[in-house]
Amino acid sequence: RRDKCNDRGVVMVRARLFRTVRGLTCIGLGLLVAGGVGAHHSVAPFDRASMQELEGEITSITWRNPHIFLTLSVTDESGQTTEWDIEGDSANAAAHRGYDRDTLSIGDSVRIAGGPSTRGRREVFLINILHDGVETVLGALDAPLRWTDSSGSLRPAVASEELGRSIFRVWAPGGLYRSRMDIRYMPAAQAARNAWDPLTDMLALQCIPPGMPNANMNPYQIGFTDEGERIRLDIEEWETKRYIDMVSEEIPAGPPARLLGYSIGRWLGDTLVIETARIDFEYLDDEGTPMSDEARILEQYTVNEDGSRLDYTVAVTDPVN
């Protein structure tokens, strides 16, 4: 859905579909039992169009969000041993596929396949892993198995009739659609975009938590909880918590600007409408578009008639950029 541009600035609209899942909260939203999860956007330095296979011994393991990391000692046919850095999806995403921090151990032999580095480094973004004879797709749900004909399955989604049309549950991504429109940037904003080098400037490569709206746009689970005068919105990535003030009619001037801004909400029929301002984050997106402190965000969440899908739109207006 597209909103019209107005005289105050450019409106950027994205829509996202969520499907309902049965949620199991272990640490915040750290281990939600859910459906499909996509890769984090820091996969930019990896070539996702090709695959590289490696086989070796695990020498180190870092198990955390937003990425897991392995070091693999690989010995080639000539007997030369090299160390490879293997970057995976989040610990949350791995948990959905039956992997936790105790699944792998230092010294284990594994075979992996994934996207090779676009920077000529000994780095691979993990897609497939074969461990103890069991192959698991960790990096992308639509990736095929490479060495076996069976795989661990994700935990099933809950039937929508059990939950009705309530928004207060856990939702898993069902698709991300970005509207294609001509966006006219102010000269300074366009210059910043032209100078942007994703391989050196992208904050995701440094694993820096994003502000709004990107904090809400990554393909991980979200969950709504009714806390009376406010709604808590848990975002699985970074185990982030947003709080939506359901009492105030205007965004108060007193609270300081912060990473996720200050949000107020209201119900428009069955649609939850959220307005956010006072955002302390300098980028609109991961393409170098600057965002000023005058930016305002308008979100809408609507559960469909049978309760099986949550439709989401977000419009960002920044008169400076």
Side-chain angles (χ1 to χ4, degrees):
R1 197 162 77 209
R2 173 177 175 175
D3 290 352
K4 295 179 180 178
C5 294
N6 57 43
D7 294 334
R8 292 186 297 120
V10 171
V11 177
M12 182 176 181
V13 180
R14 298 179 181 180
R16 183 175 186 174
L17 307 181
F18 295 90
R19 66 184 181 85
T20 182
V21 297
R22 188 186 304 279
L24 173 64
T25 305
C26 294
I27 302 176
L29 244 71
L31 290 176
L32 283 173
V33 179
V37 179
H40 188 274
H41 53 193
S42 80
V43 297
F46 299 98
D47 179 5
R48 300 300 298 275
S50 60
M51 296 285 276
Q52 180 168 353
E53 292 191 13
L54 296 171
E55 190 166 358
E57 179 180 305
I58 297 174
T59 56
S60 71
I61 301 173
T62 301
W63 206 267
R64 69 181 189 191
N65 292 317
H67 300 282
I68 59 175
F69 294 91
L70 308 175
T71 303
L72 203 62
S73 179
V74 178
T75 302
D76 61 22
E77 295 179 354
S78 67
Q80 181 178 0
T81 299
T82 53
E83 295 286 317
W84 286 75
D85 292 325
I86 313 301
E87 178 176 341
D89 212 330
S90 69
N92 295 336
H96 301 322
R97 293 156 175 80
Y99 263 63
D100 60 29
R101 64 179 67 253
D102 297 321
T103 303
L104 301 174
S105 301
I106 293 175
D108 285 356
S109 294
V110 296
R111 179 185 295 180
I112 68 102
S117 170
T118 58
R119 297 175 287 184
R121 301 178 180 177
R122 287 196 292 269
E123 299 172 343
V124 173
F125 186 82
L126 178 63
I127 302 295
N128 299 65
I129 184 167
L130 183 66
H131 175 246
D132 286 344
V134 177
E135 181 179 0
T136 305
V137 177
L138 285 182
L141 286 181
D142 56 353
L145 295 171
R146 299 179 66 85
W147 310 295
T148 64
D149 58 5
S150 63
S151 178
S153 61
L154 294 169
R155 298 180 176 99
V158 64
S160 60
E161 56 266 21
E162 296 180 33
L163 299 170
R165 291 194 66 190
S166 173
I167 196 174
F168 296 110
R169 65 179 92 163
V170 174
W171 299 89
L176 178 62
Y177 303 91
R178 301 188 181 203
S179 61
R180 302 297 180 184
M181 66 177 71
D182 293 328
I183 300 177
R184 296 183 302 276
Y185 299 102
M186 296 296 188
Q190 187 61 63
R193 288 175 55 84
N194 293 342
W196 179 260
D197 182 351
L199 295 183
T200 59
D201 299 334
M202 187 180 289
L203 299 182
L205 299 183
Q206 306 168 47
C207 289
I208 294 175
M212 287 294 294
N214 268 0
N216 224 55
M217 296 301 295
N218 284 301
Y220 293 98
Q221 281 74 13
I222 65 172
F224 293 87
T225 301
D226 187 355
E227 296 187 346
E229 294 186 347
R230 68 180 187 179
I231 291 174
R232 188 181 79 240
L233 173 53
D234 292 291
I235 304 172
E236 182 181 27
E237 188 181 36
W238 300 99
E239 298 177 9
T240 299
K241 296 183 185 297
R242 288 182 63 196
Y243 293 96
I244 295 90
D245 175 354
M246 299 297 292
V247 177
S248 300
E249 296 183 358
E250 299 288 341
I251 294 175
R258 49 195 176 190
L259 186 67
L260 302 179
Y262 193 99
S263 298
I264 59 173
R266 66 184 186 277
W267 291 101
L268 186 62
D270 295 323
T271 296
L272 175 61
V273 180
I274 302 173
E275 186 175 0
T276 302
R278 305 185 65 77
I279 303 164
D280 184 16
F281 194 66
E282 59 183 325
Y283 294 108
L284 169 69
D285 51 29
D286 55 8
E287 297 173 356
T289 306
M291 188 169 67
S292 77
D293 58 7
E294 295 184 40
R296 297 183 79 91
I297 297 175
L298 185 68
E299 301 166 89
Q300 298 184 53
Y301 297 84
T302 307
V303 181
N304 71 343
E305 289 295 331
D306 67 7
S308 65
R309 190 183 72 240
L310 178 64
D311 295 331
Y312 171 53
T313 67
V314 53
V316 181
T317 304
D318 183 355
V320 175
N321 294 298

